Amino acid sequence: GVSALGGVFVNTLPNQPDGSIALGDLEKAIRGADIHQPISRLIILENTHNRCGGTVLNAGYTRRVGELARQNGLRLHLDGARVFNAAAALQVPVNQLTEPADSVTFCLSKGLCAPVGSVLCGSKEFIKKARRVRKMLGGGMRQAGVLAAAGIVALEQMTERLVEDHQRARCLAEGLFQIPALQPTFGMPETNMVFVSLKDEVAKNASQIAEELFQRGIRVGITGPKTFRLVLHYWIGDEDVEKTITAFRDVLS
Ligand SMILES: Cc1ncc(COP(=O)(O)O)c(C=O)c1O
């Protein structure tokens, strides 16, 4: 999508297990004046990092990447789909994590619980351009106020309670990691996502187990042939966590 619509070449770099990209790797990836290579313009970070387990990038790291970007004439974009979870986990105001970036996106849905919606933040000039691009892409919406109302509730009432989801994620992980057929995919969750894998000796794959869990009223995400992603949010309470652990135990017994 980004190449077709933006005319942009993306260079994805490997993550460290904590979701960060090593500063040395970033530095090496910045292209010089060689006309055979694309021109480097932007660094993008993701916080929290979904596929590393919902891991958190701290303010110091984000600041250092921001400095690296500026020293090399680049901009920094933060894909902060779950940045409020990162702020809650670090117990810092969210702006400590967003300030080093020139632009930020975050989701009002996901942990913040709005039924729909994401927000793009940046300078006035940048947003003016983004509105034009959004219109070109067919993303404009006239009656967005109804959705924005839910977004305001998300921002005003949902950010403080994210720590509850993180606590429940840890309880869920502790319960699941005790089941002999399961093992942690990454480790204990840092935020609201639990990644858990079937051990090699389990004959069934993740989709088969997910189907059996679905019959018991539990819907889990599948991230690989043997791995699951379970996400905690406003609508998942302590009883649901217990029910999920029990269902996994029954299905895998
Ligand atoms: C890490 C990350 N970035 C960006 C997005 C995109 O959000 P939206 O489709 O609302 O723009 C998502 C949504 O799933 C996401 O998980």
Side-chain angles (χ1 to χ4, degrees):
V2 66
S3 297
L5 299 171
V8 174
F9 185 84
V10 179
N11 185 8
T12 46
L13 301 178
N15 289 106
Q16 300 301 304
D18 68 356
S20 67
I21 303 170
L23 293 176
D25 287 349
L26 275 170
E27 231 166 338
K28 268 189 261 161
I30 299 170
R31 318 272 195 184
D34 185 342
I35 58 163
H36 302 92
Q37 295 188 338
I39 301 165
S40 297
R41 299 289 291 275
L42 179 73
I43 298 174
I44 305 180
L45 292 176
E46 181 185 341
N47 196 10
T48 66
H49 199 291
N50 177 7
R51 290 300 163 108
C52 289
T55 47
V56 174
L57 304 181
N58 63 37
Y61 171 76
T62 314
R63 208 170 41 244
R64 282 195 291 281
V65 176
E67 282 159 11
L68 182 73
R70 268 185 299 283
Q71 283 157 8
N72 289 279
L74 310 181
R75 294 203 178 155
L76 173 63
H77 174 74
L78 180 69
D79 178 345
R82 302 173 179 82
V83 72
F84 283 94
N85 288 94
L90 293 165
Q91 297 187 320
V92 299
V94 74
N95 64 0
Q96 283 195 16
L97 304 176
T98 57
E99 254 164 15
D102 297 281
S103 57
V104 177
T105 43
F106 68 88
C107 295
L108 294 163
S109 58
K110 302 196 169 76
L112 293 189
C113 201
V116 61
S118 290
V119 177
L120 173 67
C121 318
S123 68
K124 276 212 168 89
E125 203 46 42
F126 172 79
I127 295 297
K128 207 169 146 191
K129 276 192 203 159
R131 282 179 187 277
R132 178 168 283 277
V133 174
R134 181 178 66 180
K135 191 73 181 166
M136 278 163 59
L137 294 174
M141 192 176 175
R142 282 174 214 284
Q143 302 82 3
V146 186
L147 297 177
I152 291 168
V153 175
L155 280 173
E156 290 183 349
Q157 296 179 31
M158 294 294 156
T159 60
E160 298 290 314
R161 60 155 303 285
L162 291 174
V163 285
E164 286 176 33
D165 295 338
H166 298 180
Q167 276 156 10
R168 285 199 185 97
R170 282 195 294 275
C171 290
L172 178 60
E174 274 161 16
L176 294 178
F177 296 169
Q178 277 171 20
I179 298 174
L182 295 175
Q183 60 191 2
T185 311
F186 300 112
M188 280 306 278
E190 289 183 24
T191 53
N192 67 328
M193 297 196 275
V194 181
F195 286 79
V196 65
S197 304
L198 295 167
K199 286 192 182 154
D200 286 342
E201 61 262 28
V202 179
K204 288 180 185 165
N205 63 29
S207 333
Q208 289 164 320
I209 300 292
E211 179 54 36
E212 290 177 39
L213 291 166
F214 187 67
Q215 306 300 330
R216 288 168 166 75
I218 314 282
R219 191 176 279 183
V220 295
I222 301 165
T223 54
K226 292 265 177 185
T227 59
F228 306 95
R229 186 187 74 152
L230 293 91
V231 182
L232 283 287
H233 54 78
Y234 181 77
W235 299 106
I236 307 285
D238 292 333
E239 275 178 27
D240 302 308
V241 168
E242 285 310 315
K243 190 176 157 188
T244 305
I245 297 167
T246 307
F248 262 97
R249 198 173 280 128
D250 289 351
V251 165
L252 291 165
S253 64

